[in-house]
Amino acid sequence: MANATTTMKAVQLQTPGGPEVLSLVDLPLPEPGPGAVRVKAHAIGAGGPDVLIRNGTYKWMPPMPAIPGNEMAGVVDAVGAGVSALRVGQRVLVSARELPQRGSCYAEYICVPESAPFVLPESIAFDDAVSLGNFQLALALLASNGNLSARSILVPGAAGGVATALVQVARERGLRVIGTASSDTKRAFALANGAHDVIDGDPRTLTEEVMRLTEGRGVDMAFDHIGGALFVACLRALAPFGMVVSYNIVSGPPSADVFDELRKLLGKSLAVRTFSIHTVDADIVQRRGLMESAIALMAAGKVRAPQATRFALADARRVHELLDSGGTLGKIVLQP
């Protein structure tokens, strides 16, 4: 399909830093080469990994100058020679987890290998599709214990993006979900998205509250992205053979000796797992299978994307100021 324009808008940074390093720029309109397709963006997801790219701390940094953005939903608008898997007009999701490097989605168009996009059913809106990466991650997190049977889980910061996906997938599987929240607004948000109980996240009271809600048994899995004292509180809140999954350490590692804590709780035979979705970077079948499962769940109405807050692509700096403040609820979507 011919395109009358020769340039496109994109958000780019020349060097890492604060939101001020993000600039709206004009770049040449990319043309798909053999085996590639061009996708015209209708919705672009904005989230935590984009901030890590912007401030230069992401362990999988793209080269500079860089375009942040890890999710884009849109329509195939051009195909290169030899493309047979996709056609012009198809609705698709582009996830940077399927690309050679992270980022590149804060743009009006992107060219990717034809094997990269996921076809979107009509029942999934573009704004909702850019939350699918969180559900893919949630499915992987819930499999961290080898898919052993479980009754309940603990989700600290239950109003967050990944946490919301975890809550919904776990509830759909019939698990009891206990979340934590730091405000009444976040508590209401977590409850509305499927948490059965939401308690205060203070590490000094967390274990006692979880034990009270589970009649002294504890939870089978706890998913900690905070670290610090909260990690140890999660460990103490586990049921026999339970596991804490650490998928981030926003507050830094715990100061307590974790192995010593495990030995103190030896009678419970507990486990700790560190987790990164990058573990499946080289496992195409597992990685894409997780996303296809997430798409199927959303298409069937078994999970739903959180409410989207829309901003223009040109407002990327403002969006990153909000992300830095940590006060956002739901998914932030950039509109090209």
Side-chain angles (χ1 to χ4, degrees):
M1 176 182 287
N3 195 308
T5 64
T6 58
T7 62
M8 70 168 183
K9 298 289 185 183
V11 172
Q12 194 178 65
L13 60 145
Q14 300 290 327
T15 185
E20 71 281 354
V21 303
L22 299 175
S23 297
L24 188 69
V25 299
D26 288 305
L27 296 176
L29 181 71
E31 294 293 337
V37 301
R38 185 173 67 206
V39 177
K40 180 180 181 180
H42 284 242
I44 300 163
D50 305 339
V51 173
L52 298 180
I53 289 175
R54 188 207 75 215
N55 64 28
T57 60
Y58 198 45
K59 290 184 179 180
W60 295 269
M61 281 292 293
M64 296 293 161
I67 296 174
N70 289 292
E71 306 106 8
M72 174 196 290
V75 174
V76 175
D77 92 317
V79 299
V83 169
S84 58
L86 295 169
R87 65 180 185 278
V88 170
Q90 275 190 297
R91 304 171 76 255
V92 295
L93 170 70
V94 174
S95 167
R97 290 172 185 158
E98 301 300 319
L99 304 181
Q101 64 187 38
R102 294 301 199 258
S104 301
C105 289
Y106 281 16
E108 291 182 313
Y109 296 86
I110 188 171
C111 285
V112 297
E114 67 171 320
S115 60
F118 295 89
V119 175
L120 287 174
E122 292 289 340
S123 59
I124 299 180
F126 290 128
D127 281 6
D128 294 342
V130 292
S131 287
L132 282 164
N134 282 341
F135 288 96
Q136 177 193 34
L137 179 54
L139 288 165
L141 282 165
L142 284 166
S144 292
N145 70 342
N147 287 312
L148 294 174
S149 60
R151 300 184 206 172
S152 58
I153 66 168
L154 173 64
V155 184
V162 174
T164 296
L166 262 172
V167 168
Q168 289 199 33
V169 175
R171 178 152 185 156
E172 193 275 332
R173 292 183 176 183
L175 300 179
R176 167 91 174 275
V177 182
I178 301 172
T180 77
S182 58
S183 69
D184 289 343
T185 301
K186 290 182 177 181
R187 180 177 184 274
F189 183 88
L191 289 169
N193 278 282
H196 293 91
D197 300 279
V198 180
I199 60 178
D200 189 270
D202 188 336
R204 294 169 296 183
T205 59
L206 180 71
T207 302
E208 182 181 351
E209 281 295 290
V210 170
M211 289 302 176
R212 179 182 65 81
L213 289 169
T214 59
E215 299 180 339
R217 179 178 180 270
V219 292
D220 297 290
M221 300 182 76
F223 298 92
D224 175 43
H225 69 288
I226 303 298
L230 185 67
F231 179 90
V232 176
C234 288
L235 197 64
R236 293 171 179 166
L238 291 176
F241 296 103
M243 174 184 285
V244 174
V245 181
S246 171
Y247 65 102
N248 206 338
I249 48 169
V250 174
S251 294
S255 57
D257 184 326
V258 173
F259 188 75
D260 183 55
E261 291 292 330
L262 287 167
R263 295 297 298 179
K264 288 176 183 177
L265 299 165
L266 184 62
K268 287 189 173 184
S269 300
L270 303 180
V272 171
R273 181 182 294 282
T274 56
F275 176 89
S276 170
I277 193 65
H278 289 276
T279 305
V280 296
D281 277 356
D283 191 333
I284 297 173
V285 173
Q286 184 178 4
R287 186 183 67 245
R288 292 191 68 86
L290 288 165
M291 181 61 88
E292 294 289 1
S293 295
I295 291 171
L297 283 172
M298 190 175 288
K302 294 181 178 179
V303 300
R304 68 180 189 275
Q307 179 82 30
T309 303
R310 299 180 180 182
F311 290 85
L313 181 61
D315 292 329
R317 285 187 184 180
R318 172 61 181 147
V319 165
H320 275 243
E321 289 170 358
L322 291 172
L323 290 171
D324 283 354
S325 74
T328 58
L329 288 175
K331 185 70 175 181
I332 295 180
V333 175
L334 297 173
Q335 299 285 319

